[in-house]
Amino acid sequence: MSERLHIDWTACRGRGLCGELLPEMLDLDEWGYPRPKQGLSVPRALSGPARQAVGLCPRQALRLQTEATS
Ligand code: SF4
């Protein structure tokens, strides 16, 4: 099992807090909206920062989904 970060684009309002908390996974576009660097699968080493980003997103626009691995 691994985790995948889900971004609710209808809830996100940019400003990019998640990009500051997860710079290994997310770039920010010119308006501060997150832009995945290489997909949204969360490496195990980034599980903690990903949870922090989910918890601190002011719009509750982030969540972690469990995905099956083969
Ligand atoms: S922290 Fe939340 S609202 Fe802010 S840019 Fe990231 S996903 Fe969007």
Coordinates of all heavy atoms in Angstrom, one line a residue:
M1 N 0.8 -1.2 0.0 CA 0.0 0.0 0.0 C 0.9 1.2 0.0 O 1.9 1.3 0.7 CB -0.9 0.0 1.2 CG -1.9 -1.1 1.3 SD -3.2 -0.9 0.1 CE -4.6 -1.3 1.1
S2 N 0.5 2.2 -0.8 CA 1.2 3.5 -0.8 C 0.2 4.6 -0.7 O -1.0 4.3 -0.8 CB 2.1 3.6 -2.0 OG 1.4 3.6 -3.1
E3 N 0.6 5.8 -0.6 CA -0.3 6.9 -0.5 C -0.1 7.9 -1.7 O 0.9 8.0 -2.3 CB 0.0 7.7 0.8 CG -0.4 6.9 2.0 CD -0.1 7.7 3.3 OE1 1.0 8.2 3.4 OE2 -1.0 7.8 4.1
R4 N -1.3 8.5 -2.0 CA -1.3 9.4 -3.1 C -1.9 10.7 -2.6 O -3.0 10.7 -1.9 CB -2.1 8.8 -4.2 CG -2.2 9.6 -5.5 CD -2.9 8.8 -6.6 NE -3.0 9.6 -7.8 CZ -2.0 9.8 -8.6 NH1 -0.8 9.1 -8.4 NH2 -2.1 10.5 -9.7
L5 N -1.4 11.8 -3.0 CA -1.9 13.1 -2.6 C -3.0 13.5 -3.6 O -2.8 13.5 -4.8 CB -0.8 14.1 -2.5 CG -1.1 15.5 -2.0 CD1 -1.4 15.4 -0.5 CD2 0.0 16.5 -2.2
H6 N -4.1 13.9 -3.0 CA -5.2 14.3 -3.9 C -5.4 15.8 -3.7 O -5.5 16.3 -2.5 CB -6.5 13.6 -3.6 CG -7.7 14.1 -4.3 ND1 -8.0 13.7 -5.6 CD2 -8.7 15.0 -4.0 CE1 -9.0 14.4 -6.0 NE2 -9.5 15.1 -5.0
I7 N -5.5 16.6 -4.7 CA -5.7 18.0 -4.6 C -7.1 18.3 -5.2 O -7.5 18.0 -6.3 CB -4.7 18.8 -5.5 CG1 -3.3 18.5 -5.0 CG2 -5.0 20.3 -5.3 CD1 -2.2 19.1 -5.9
D8 N -8.0 18.9 -4.3 CA -9.3 19.3 -4.8 C -9.2 20.7 -5.4 O -9.1 21.7 -4.7 CB -10.2 19.3 -3.6 CG -11.7 19.8 -3.9 OD1 -11.9 20.2 -5.1 OD2 -12.5 19.7 -3.1
W9 N -9.2 20.8 -6.7 CA -8.9 22.0 -7.4 C -10.1 23.0 -7.2 O -9.9 24.2 -7.4 CB -8.6 21.8 -8.9 CG -7.4 21.0 -9.1 CD1 -7.3 19.7 -9.5 CD2 -6.0 21.4 -8.9 NE1 -6.0 19.3 -9.5 CE2 -5.2 20.3 -9.2 CE3 -5.5 22.6 -8.5 CZ2 -3.8 20.4 -9.1 CZ3 -4.1 22.7 -8.3 CH2 -3.3 21.6 -8.6
T10 N -11.2 22.5 -6.9 CA -12.4 23.4 -6.7 C -12.3 24.1 -5.4 O -12.8 25.2 -5.2 CB -13.7 22.7 -6.8 OG1 -13.8 21.7 -5.7 CG2 -13.9 22.0 -8.1
A11 N -11.5 23.5 -4.4 CA -11.4 24.1 -3.1 C -10.1 25.0 -3.0 O -10.0 26.0 -2.3 CB -11.4 23.1 -2.0
C12 N -9.0 24.6 -3.7 CA -7.7 25.3 -3.6 C -7.9 26.7 -4.1 O -8.5 27.0 -5.0 CB -6.7 24.5 -4.5 SG -5.1 25.3 -4.5
R13 N -7.2 27.6 -3.3 CA -7.2 29.0 -3.7 C -5.8 29.5 -3.9 O -5.6 30.7 -3.8 CB -7.9 29.9 -2.6 CG -9.4 29.7 -2.5 CD -10.1 30.2 -3.8 NE -11.5 30.0 -3.7 CZ -12.2 28.9 -4.1 NH1 -11.5 27.9 -4.7 NH2 -13.5 28.8 -4.1
G14 N -4.9 28.6 -4.1 CA -3.5 29.0 -4.3 C -2.8 29.5 -3.1 O -3.1 29.1 -2.0
R15 N -1.9 30.4 -3.2 CA -1.0 30.9 -2.2 C 0.1 30.0 -1.8 O 1.1 30.4 -1.2 CB -1.8 31.4 -1.0 CG -2.8 32.5 -1.3 CD -3.5 33.0 0.0 NE -4.6 33.9 -0.4 CZ -4.4 35.2 -0.5 NH1 -3.2 35.7 -0.4 NH2 -5.4 36.0 -0.9
G16 N -0.1 28.7 -2.0 CA 1.1 27.8 -2.0 C 1.7 27.3 -0.7 O 2.8 26.9 -0.6
L17 N 0.9 27.3 0.4 CA 1.4 26.8 1.6 C 1.9 25.4 1.4 O 3.0 25.0 1.9 CB 0.4 26.8 2.8 CG 0.8 26.2 4.1 CD1 2.0 26.9 4.7 CD2 -0.4 26.2 5.1
C18 N 1.2 24.6 0.7 CA 1.5 23.2 0.5 C 2.9 23.1 -0.3 O 3.7 22.2 0.0 CB 0.5 22.4 -0.3 SG 0.0 23.2 -1.9
G19 N 3.2 24.0 -1.1 CA 4.4 24.0 -1.8 C 5.6 24.3 -0.9 O 6.7 23.8 -1.1
E20 N 5.4 25.1 0.1 CA 6.4 25.3 1.1 C 6.6 24.1 2.0 O 7.7 23.9 2.4 CB 6.0 26.5 2.0 CG 6.0 27.8 1.2 CD 5.5 29.0 2.0 OE1 5.7 28.9 3.3 OE2 5.0 30.0 1.4
L21 N 5.6 23.4 2.3 CA 5.7 22.2 3.2 C 6.1 21.0 2.4 O 6.7 20.1 3.1 CB 4.3 21.9 3.8 CG 3.8 23.0 4.8 CD1 2.4 22.8 5.2 CD2 4.7 23.1 6.0
L22 N 5.9 20.9 1.1 CA 6.3 19.7 0.4 C 7.0 20.1 -0.9 O 6.6 19.7 -2.0 CB 5.0 19.0 -0.1 CG 4.5 17.9 0.8 CD1 3.2 17.3 0.3 CD2 5.5 16.8 1.1
P23 N 8.1 20.8 -0.8 CA 8.9 21.3 -2.0 C 9.4 20.1 -2.8 O 9.7 20.3 -4.0 CB 10.0 22.2 -1.4 CG 10.2 21.6 0.0 CD 8.8 21.2 0.5
E24 N 9.6 19.0 -2.2 CA 10.1 17.8 -2.9 C 9.1 17.3 -3.9 O 9.4 16.7 -4.9 CB 10.5 16.7 -2.0 CG 11.6 17.0 -0.9 CD 11.0 17.6 0.3 OE1 9.8 18.0 0.4 OE2 11.7 17.6 1.3
M25 N 7.8 17.6 -3.6 CA 6.7 17.1 -4.5 C 6.1 18.1 -5.3 O 5.5 17.9 -6.4 CB 5.7 16.4 -3.7 CG 6.1 15.0 -3.1 SD 4.7 14.2 -2.3 CE 3.5 14.0 -3.7
L26 N 6.0 19.4 -4.8 CA 5.2 20.4 -5.4 C 6.0 21.6 -5.8 O 6.7 22.2 -4.9 CB 4.0 20.8 -4.5 CG 3.1 19.6 -4.1 CD1 2.1 20.1 -3.0 CD2 2.3 19.1 -5.3
D27 N 5.8 22.1 -7.0 CA 6.2 23.4 -7.4 C 5.0 24.3 -7.3 O 3.9 23.8 -7.2 CB 6.7 23.4 -8.9 CG 8.1 23.2 -9.0 OD1 8.9 23.5 -8.1 OD2 8.5 22.7 -10.1
L28 N 5.2 25.6 -7.4 CA 4.0 26.5 -7.5 C 4.0 27.2 -8.8 O 5.1 27.6 -9.3 CB 4.1 27.5 -6.3 CG 4.1 26.9 -4.9 CD1 4.3 28.0 -3.9 CD2 2.8 26.2 -4.6
D29 N 2.8 27.4 -9.3 CA 2.8 28.2 -10.6 C 2.8 29.7 -10.2 O 2.9 30.0 -9.1 CB 1.6 27.8 -11.4 CG 0.2 28.2 -10.8 OD1 0.2 29.0 -9.9 OD2 -0.8 27.7 -11.3
E30 N 2.7 30.5 -11.2 CA 2.8 32.0 -11.0 C 1.7 32.5 -10.1 O 1.9 33.6 -9.5 CB 2.9 32.7 -12.3 CG 1.6 32.5 -13.1 CD 1.8 33.2 -14.5 OE1 2.0 34.4 -14.6 OE2 1.7 32.4 -15.5
W31 N 0.6 31.8 -9.9 CA -0.4 32.3 -9.0 C -0.4 31.6 -7.6 O -1.3 31.8 -6.8 CB -1.8 32.1 -9.6 CG -2.0 32.8 -10.9 CD1 -2.2 34.2 -11.0 CD2 -1.8 32.3 -12.2 NE1 -2.3 34.5 -12.4 CE2 -2.0 33.4 -13.1 CE3 -1.5 31.0 -12.8 CZ2 -2.0 33.2 -14.5 CZ3 -1.5 30.9 -14.1 CH2 -1.7 32.0 -15.0
G32 N 0.6 30.7 -7.4 CA 0.7 30.0 -6.2 C -0.1 28.8 -6.1 O -0.2 28.2 -5.0
Y33 N -0.5 28.3 -7.2 CA -1.2 27.0 -7.2 C -0.2 25.8 -7.3 O 0.8 26.0 -8.0 CB -2.2 26.9 -8.4 CG -3.5 27.7 -8.1 CD1 -3.5 29.0 -8.5 CD2 -4.6 27.1 -7.6 CE1 -4.7 29.8 -8.3 CE2 -5.7 27.8 -7.3 CZ -5.8 29.2 -7.7 OH -6.9 29.9 -7.5
P34 N -0.4 24.7 -6.6 CA 0.5 23.7 -6.6 C 0.6 23.0 -7.9 O -0.4 22.8 -8.6 CB 0.0 22.7 -5.5 CG -1.4 23.0 -5.4 CD -1.6 24.5 -5.7
R35 N 1.8 22.6 -8.3 CA 2.0 21.9 -9.6 C 2.9 20.7 -9.3 O 4.1 20.9 -8.8 CB 2.8 22.9 -10.5 CG 2.8 22.4 -12.0 CD 3.2 23.6 -12.9 NE 4.4 24.3 -12.3 CZ 4.8 25.5 -12.8 NH1 4.1 26.1 -13.8 NH2 5.8 26.1 -12.3
P36 N 2.4 19.5 -9.4 CA 3.1 18.3 -9.0 C 4.4 18.2 -9.9 O 4.4 18.4 -11.1 CB 2.2 17.1 -9.4 CG 0.8 17.7 -9.4 CD 1.0 19.2 -9.8
K37 N 5.5 17.9 -9.2 CA 6.8 17.8 -9.9 C 6.9 16.4 -10.7 O 7.3 16.4 -11.8 CB 8.0 17.8 -8.9 CG 8.2 19.2 -8.4 CD 9.4 19.2 -7.5 CE 9.8 20.7 -7.1 NZ 10.9 20.7 -6.2
Q38 N 6.5 15.3 -10.0 CA 6.6 14.0 -10.7 C 5.4 13.2 -10.2 O 5.6 12.2 -9.5 CB 7.9 13.3 -10.3 CG 9.1 14.0 -10.9 CD 10.4 13.2 -10.6 OE1 10.4 12.2 -10.0 NE2 11.5 13.7 -11.2
G39 N 4.2 13.5 -10.5 CA 3.1 12.8 -10.0 C 2.8 13.1 -8.6 O 3.4 13.9 -7.9
L40 N 1.8 12.4 -8.0 CA 1.3 12.7 -6.7 C 1.4 11.5 -5.7 O 0.8 11.5 -4.6 CB -0.2 13.2 -6.8 CG -0.3 14.6 -7.3 CD1 -1.7 15.0 -7.6 CD2 0.4 15.6 -6.4
S41 N 2.1 10.5 -6.2 CA 2.4 9.4 -5.2 C 3.4 9.9 -4.2 O 4.4 10.5 -4.5 CB 3.0 8.2 -6.0 OG 2.0 7.6 -6.8
V42 N 3.1 9.6 -2.9 CA 3.9 10.1 -1.8 C 4.9 9.1 -1.4 O 4.6 8.0 -0.9 CB 3.0 10.4 -0.6 CG1 3.8 11.0 0.6 CG2 1.8 11.4 -1.0
P43 N 6.2 9.4 -1.6 CA 7.3 8.5 -1.1 C 7.2 8.4 0.4 O 6.8 9.3 1.1 CB 8.6 9.3 -1.5 CG 8.2 10.3 -2.5 CD 6.8 10.6 -2.2
R44 N 7.5 7.2 0.9 CA 7.4 6.9 2.3 C 8.1 8.0 3.1 O 7.6 8.4 4.2 CB 7.9 5.5 2.6 CG 7.7 5.0 4.0 CD 8.2 3.6 4.2 NE 7.5 2.7 3.3 CZ 6.4 1.9 3.7 NH1 6.0 2.1 4.9 NH2 5.9 1.1 2.8
A45 N 9.2 8.4 2.7 CA 10.0 9.4 3.4 C 9.3 10.8 3.6 O 9.6 11.6 4.4 CB 11.4 9.6 2.8
L46 N 8.3 11.0 2.7 CA 7.6 12.3 2.7 C 6.2 12.1 3.3 O 5.4 13.1 3.3 CB 7.5 12.9 1.3 CG 8.8 13.3 0.7 CD1 8.6 13.8 -0.7 CD2 9.5 14.3 1.5
S47 N 5.9 11.0 3.9 CA 4.6 10.8 4.5 C 4.3 11.8 5.6 O 3.2 12.3 5.7 CB 4.6 9.3 5.1 OG 3.3 9.1 5.6
G48 N 5.3 12.1 6.5 CA 5.1 13.1 7.5 C 4.8 14.5 7.0 O 3.8 15.1 7.4
P49 N 5.6 15.0 6.2 CA 5.4 16.3 5.6 C 4.1 16.4 4.8 O 3.4 17.4 4.8 CB 6.6 16.6 4.7 CG 7.7 15.8 5.3 CD 7.0 14.6 5.8
A50 N 3.7 15.3 4.1 CA 2.4 15.2 3.4 C 1.3 15.4 4.3 O 0.3 16.1 4.1 CB 2.4 14.0 2.5
R51 N 1.3 14.6 5.5 CA 0.3 14.7 6.5 C 0.2 16.1 7.0 O -0.9 16.7 7.3 CB 0.5 13.7 7.6 CG 0.2 12.3 7.2 CD 0.5 11.3 8.2 NE 0.6 10.0 7.6 CZ -0.5 9.4 7.0 NH1 -1.7 9.9 7.1 NH2 -0.3 8.2 6.4
Q52 N 1.3 16.8 7.2 CA 1.3 18.1 7.7 C 0.7 19.1 6.7 O -0.1 19.9 7.1 CB 2.8 18.6 8.0 CG 2.9 19.9 8.7 CD 4.3 20.3 9.0 OE1 5.2 19.9 8.3 NE2 4.5 21.1 10.0
A53 N 1.0 18.9 5.5 CA 0.4 19.7 4.4 C -1.1 19.6 4.4 O -1.9 20.5 4.3 CB 1.0 19.4 3.1
V54 N -1.6 18.3 4.5 CA -3.0 18.0 4.5 C -3.7 18.7 5.7 O -4.7 19.4 5.6 CB -3.3 16.5 4.6 CG1 -4.8 16.2 4.9 CG2 -2.9 15.9 3.3
G55 N -3.0 18.6 6.9 CA -3.6 19.2 8.1 C -3.6 20.7 8.1 O -4.5 21.3 8.7
L56 N -2.6 21.3 7.4 CA -2.5 22.8 7.5 C -3.1 23.5 6.3 O -3.2 24.8 6.3 CB -1.0 23.2 7.6 CG -0.4 22.8 8.9 CD1 1.1 23.2 8.9 CD2 -1.0 23.5 10.1
C57 N -3.6 22.8 5.2 CA -4.2 23.5 4.1 C -5.4 24.3 4.6 O -6.3 23.7 5.2 CB -4.6 22.5 3.0 SG -5.6 23.2 1.7
P58 N -5.4 25.6 4.4 CA -6.5 26.4 4.9 C -7.8 26.2 4.2 O -8.9 26.6 4.7 CB -6.0 27.8 4.7 CG -5.0 27.7 3.6 CD -4.4 26.4 3.7
R59 N -7.8 25.5 3.1 CA -9.1 25.2 2.4 C -9.5 23.7 2.4 O -10.4 23.3 1.7 CB -8.9 25.6 0.9 CG -8.5 27.1 0.7 CD -9.6 28.0 0.9 NE -10.7 27.6 0.0 CZ -11.9 28.3 0.0 NH1 -12.1 29.3 0.8 NH2 -12.8 27.9 -0.9
Q60 N -8.8 22.9 3.2 CA -9.1 21.5 3.3 C -9.1 20.9 1.8 O -10.0 20.1 1.5 CB -10.4 21.2 4.0 CG -10.3 21.4 5.5 CD -10.6 22.8 5.9 OE1 -11.6 23.3 5.5 NE2 -9.8 23.4 6.7
A61 N -8.2 21.4 1.0 CA -8.2 21.0 -0.4 C -7.3 19.8 -0.6 O -7.2 19.3 -1.7 CB -7.7 22.1 -1.3
L62 N -6.6 19.3 0.4 CA -5.6 18.2 0.3 C -6.1 17.0 1.1 O -6.6 17.2 2.2 CB -4.2 18.6 0.7 CG -3.6 19.7 0.0 CD1 -2.2 20.1 0.7 CD2 -3.3 19.4 -1.4
R63 N -5.9 15.8 0.5 CA -6.1 14.6 1.3 C -5.2 13.5 0.8 O -4.8 13.6 -0.4 CB -7.6 14.2 1.3 CG -8.2 13.7 0.1 CD -9.6 13.1 0.4 NE -10.1 12.4 -0.8 CZ -10.7 13.0 -1.8 NH1 -11.0 14.3 -1.8 NH2 -11.1 12.2 -2.8
L64 N -5.0 12.6 1.6 CA -4.2 11.4 1.3 C -5.1 10.2 1.0 O -6.0 9.9 1.8 CB -3.2 11.1 2.4 CG -2.0 12.0 2.6 CD1 -1.2 11.7 3.8 CD2 -1.1 12.0 1.3
Q65 N -4.8 9.6 -0.1 CA -5.6 8.4 -0.5 C -4.6 7.2 -0.5 O -3.5 7.3 -0.9 CB -6.2 8.5 -1.9 CG -7.1 9.7 -2.0 CD -7.6 9.9 -3.5 OE1 -6.8 9.8 -4.4 NE2 -8.9 10.2 -3.6
T66 N -5.1 6.1 0.0 CA -4.3 4.9 0.0 C -4.5 4.2 -1.4 O -5.6 4.1 -1.9 CB -4.8 3.9 1.1 OG1 -4.6 4.6 2.3 CG2 -3.9 2.7 1.1
E67 N -3.4 3.8 -2.0 CA -3.5 3.2 -3.3 C -2.8 1.8 -3.2 O -1.8 1.7 -2.5 CB -2.9 4.0 -4.4 CG -1.4 4.4 -4.2 CD -0.9 5.3 -5.3 OE1 -1.7 5.7 -6.2 OE2 0.2 5.6 -5.4
A68 N -3.3 0.9 -3.8 CA -2.7 -0.5 -3.8 C -1.5 -0.5 -4.7 O -1.4 0.2 -5.7 CB -3.8 -1.5 -4.3
T69 N -0.5 -1.2 -4.2 CA 0.7 -1.4 -5.0 C 0.8 -2.8 -5.5 O 0.3 -3.7 -4.8 CB 2.0 -1.1 -4.2 OG1 2.0 -1.9 -3.0 CG2 2.0 0.4 -3.9
S70 N 1.3 -3.0 -6.7 CA 1.4 -4.4 -7.2 C 2.7 -5.1 -6.9 O 3.6 -4.5 -6.5 CB 1.1 -4.4 -8.7 OG 2.1 -3.5 -9.3
Ligands
SF4_1 S1 -2.3 24.8 0.8 FE1 -4.3 24.2 0.1 S2 -5.3 26.0 -0.7 FE2 -3.1 26.5 -0.4 S3 -2.3 26.1 -2.5 FE3 -2.0 24.2 -1.3 S4 -3.9 23.0 -1.8 FE4 -4.3 25.1 -2.4

